[in-house]
């Protein structure tokens, strides 16, 4: 059974990264050291960004056996991240395949971020992550539905 935790980030204790729930802790403990460190970095960036965006409570859980961060209804789209033994030299950040997020990544970060299909960003573990590009994409995911409701500026 998954243990789900919701965290009110940005209100009383901004910037705090919550302790992992037991099932998430078990999942992270199964990763090789380099993958665990990379995924904890991504996790930290998600909570850092959420502390600075007025989106409400983030729910952290396992979804399809992968660490997942779910935004409150109406604000963003679910972010998942994982390492797989079949691709031991990288981790992946997943977003809903029915969003245009990966298309945005391709148009804004071609040559900086590698994409797979319409749902994943692949990050090699043997080099530093392009932090600003990844944080931009995570921010897009956290506010995906809010951003889509905003009127487009007239030209």
């Amino acid at each position: 059974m998954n243990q789900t935790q919701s965290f009110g980030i940005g209100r009383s204790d901004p910037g705090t990264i919550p302790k992992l729930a037991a099932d998430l802790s078990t999942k992270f403990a199964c990763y090789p050291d380099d993958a665990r460190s990379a995924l904890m970095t991504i996790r930290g960036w998600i909570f850092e960004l959420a502390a600075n965006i007025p989106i409400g409570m983030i729910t952290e859980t396992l979804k399809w056996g992968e660490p997942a961060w779910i935004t409150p209804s109406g604000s963003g789209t679910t972010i998942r991240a994982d390492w797989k033994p079949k691709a031991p030299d990288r981790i992946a950040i997943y977003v809903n395949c029915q969003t245009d997020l990966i298309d945005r990544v391709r148009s804004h970060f071609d040559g900086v971020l590698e994409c797979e299909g319409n749902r994943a960003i692949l990050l090699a573990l043997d080099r530093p992550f392009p932090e600003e590009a990844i944080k931009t994409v995570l921010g897009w995911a956290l506010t995906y539905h809010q951003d889509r409701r905003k009127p487009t500026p007239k030209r």
Side-chain angles (χ1 to χ4, degrees):
M1 177 179 196
N2 286 349
Q3 296 176 3
T4 300
Q5 298 187 105
S6 294
F7 303 97
I9 304 297
R11 295 203 193 314
S12 60
D13 196 7
T16 300
I17 299 174
K19 182 179 175 188
L20 285 168
D23 61 338
L24 284 155
S25 185
T26 299
K27 178 69 177 177
F28 275 83
C30 293
Y31 295 128
D33 291 343
D34 57 349
R36 181 183 323 100
S37 176
L39 290 163
M40 290 298 283
T41 296
I42 299 301
R43 178 182 186 261
W45 289 344
I46 290 168
F47 283 107
E48 174 189 322
L49 289 163
N52 294 303
I53 303 170
I55 59 171
M57 308 251 299
I58 296 271
T59 299
E60 181 175 54
T61 191
L62 289 175
K63 191 169 185 178
W64 297 300
E66 299 168 342
W69 299 271
I70 302 168
T71 60
S73 177
S75 81
T77 190
T78 299
I79 301 166
R80 293 179 295 117
D82 202 20
W83 171 88
K84 307 275 190 215
K86 66 180 179 181
D89 58 340
R90 67 181 188 219
I91 64 166
I93 299 172
Y94 302 98
V95 295
N96 185 313
C97 63
Q98 295 181 348
T99 66
D100 69 351
L101 289 170
I102 298 301
D103 287 338
R104 283 196 226 173
V105 172
R106 285 189 175 103
S107 68
H108 287 81
F109 298 112
D110 186 40
V112 177
L113 293 173
E114 179 185 354
C115 299
E116 180 179 78
N118 60 351
R119 68 182 191 113
I121 298 167
L122 307 176
L123 301 169
L125 293 171
D126 65 349
R127 63 184 77 104
F129 291 164
E131 180 176 348
E132 290 308 311
I134 294 169
K135 284 183 173 181
T136 297
V137 175
L138 294 173
W140 289 343
L142 291 170
T143 60
Y144 183 76
H145 295 295
Q146 287 178 349
D147 292 345
R148 291 180 55 85
R149 284 194 300 266
K150 290 179 184 172
T152 23
K154 295 183 180 181
R155 294 180 186 220

